[in-house]
Amino acid sequence: NHKTHEKNKHLEGLLQAGRDLKRNVRMTAKEWDLLSVSFHSKVVLFVRHGQGFHNVAAAESPYKCDCKENGGKCPYLDEKLTDPELTEIGIRQAKRLAKISAGLTRQPELVIVSPLRRAIQTALLAFPHLVSKVPWIADWKARERSGRHMCDKRRKLSEIQKDFPMIDFSLIENEQDDMFDPEQREPDLQLLHRAHNLLVELGSRPERTIVIVTHSTWLLSVFQCVLDISDSDFKRWFATGEMRLAEVNWEVDDEEDV
């Protein structure tokens, strides 16, 4: 099974790197009960993008996602999959989330999106009532694990700014995708560091209810290694178009270094 292979491969590397992740802020999380939030906690709506064309390509490919072992036949290496859009199924998945988000008792005050197209499209379809009402920020720290796979390469900044003028791209500094290494995938520890740093930053912001629309491996790293979560089911792999509501608590530990 391609999905099981991909999940297990990612998880093995992340768990090993997680042992080396130094944290000066301990963050715990549990499923939000939709009722109340403790004084020192925030509600974070974690969303994986809807189905993209790269997901379909991988599902239909006879090859697994292992660039080294299968001689360059990994389905994600196809340049046609560069920063792919949502499929019709992905669009429907995102629109289904809009019905849920509109009825939440606590409405988000901030939307953080990966700068990759499938995540932005999902966010706009899932939270249309928040457009122009709250800040929408594209943050490079929320993007999928970078490198090698063309689906995880960002388009030119000017192109995505033109397509999505309602998004604040001020955190994306360069026109070209300088994070993307065509020869190798981003190291696990580097991914964990930027995911950890983004959540630490969100803990210091004034907003109490926040949306993050992002990707499967980023979410796996957060739920398995960055956040301390006791419920094993809550830590499971995210499906496309899935939203998980978490109550997150930040605890500063002065004895550890970043």
Side-chain angles (χ1 to χ4, degrees):
N1 182 283
H2 176 85
K3 290 183 179 179
T4 301
H5 169 82
E6 186 173 359
K7 177 182 67 175
N8 291 340
K9 186 183 71 170
H10 288 319
L11 183 57
E12 180 181 357
L14 288 169
L15 291 176
Q16 184 173 352
R19 302 186 187 102
D20 298 322
L21 179 64
K22 303 298 182 181
R23 300 179 290 179
N24 67 336
V25 178
R26 178 173 181 254
M27 294 171 282
T28 61
K30 62 181 180 179
E31 186 171 8
W32 181 41
D33 61 12
L34 299 176
L35 298 174
S36 60
V37 182
S38 64
F39 180 75
H40 295 291
S41 299
K42 299 183 181 186
V43 172
V44 181
L45 284 63
F46 291 96
V47 182
R48 181 185 175 188
H49 63 79
Q51 183 193 71
F53 282 100
H54 66 302
N55 299 124
V56 176
E60 295 178 348
S61 173
Y63 302 101
K64 297 178 181 178
C65 170
D66 195 324
C67 303
K68 293 182 179 179
E69 291 186 6
N70 63 34
K73 296 179 181 178
C74 170
Y76 297 128
L77 300 182
D78 187 348
E79 289 191 4
K80 296 178 182 177
L81 296 176
T82 301
D83 201 359
E85 296 185 89
L86 296 180
T87 64
E88 286 299 322
I89 289 176
I91 290 172
R92 291 198 296 271
Q93 290 173 333
K95 287 183 175 179
R96 280 199 292 267
L97 294 180
K99 299 178 180 179
I100 301 172
S101 68
L104 293 174
T105 55
R106 290 177 63 101
Q107 283 297 307
E109 304 159 87
L110 171 67
V111 179
I112 300 292
V113 295
S114 156
L116 298 180
R117 177 160 47 182
R118 57 194 182 270
I120 298 174
Q121 289 178 323
T122 299
L124 291 170
L125 292 169
F127 301 92
H129 62 294
L130 298 180
V131 177
S132 77
K133 301 292 179 59
V134 304
W136 286 64
I137 301 174
D139 195 321
W140 62 272
K141 293 185 293 299
R143 63 183 287 179
E144 182 58 300
R145 184 180 183 183
S146 187
R148 193 73 169 130
H149 294 169
M150 298 306 297
C151 55
D152 300 325
K153 181 178 181 179
R154 171 175 64 77
R155 292 183 300 151
K156 293 180 179 179
L157 178 58
S158 57
E159 293 179 4
I160 56 177
Q161 286 177 319
K162 181 180 178 180
D163 287 347
F164 306 108
M166 71 292 292
I167 308 292
D168 177 0
F169 289 99
S170 59
L171 295 179
I172 313 300
E173 297 181 350
N174 298 316
E175 170 74 355
Q176 303 293 337
D177 187 0
D178 59 334
M179 273 187 66
F180 187 82
D181 184 342
E183 300 300 324
Q184 63 181 356
R185 294 291 276 165
E186 180 180 10
D188 292 296
L189 188 57
Q190 184 172 309
L191 170 61
L192 290 177
H193 272 304
R194 62 179 172 86
H196 171 267
N197 290 343
L198 174 56
L199 290 177
V200 170
E201 290 174 10
L202 295 183
S204 64
R205 288 188 63 105
E207 297 89 358
R208 297 291 307 282
T209 306
I210 300 168
V211 175
I212 304 177
V213 184
T214 180
H215 308 264
S216 60
T217 307
W218 192 94
L219 288 162
L220 187 69
S221 71
V222 166
F223 275 68
Q224 291 286 341
C225 302
V226 175
L227 296 175
D228 290 335
I229 301 173
S230 59
D231 182 354
S232 59
D233 184 62
F234 197 54
K235 299 165 68 172
R236 68 189 183 278
W237 177 268
F238 273 69
T240 53
E242 180 180 356
M243 177 167 64
R244 218 169 286 176
L245 282 59
E247 181 178 344
V248 181
N249 183 63
W250 284 258
E251 303 173 11
V252 178
D253 184 352
D254 294 328
E255 295 183 359
E256 290 192 3
D257 297 324
V258 176

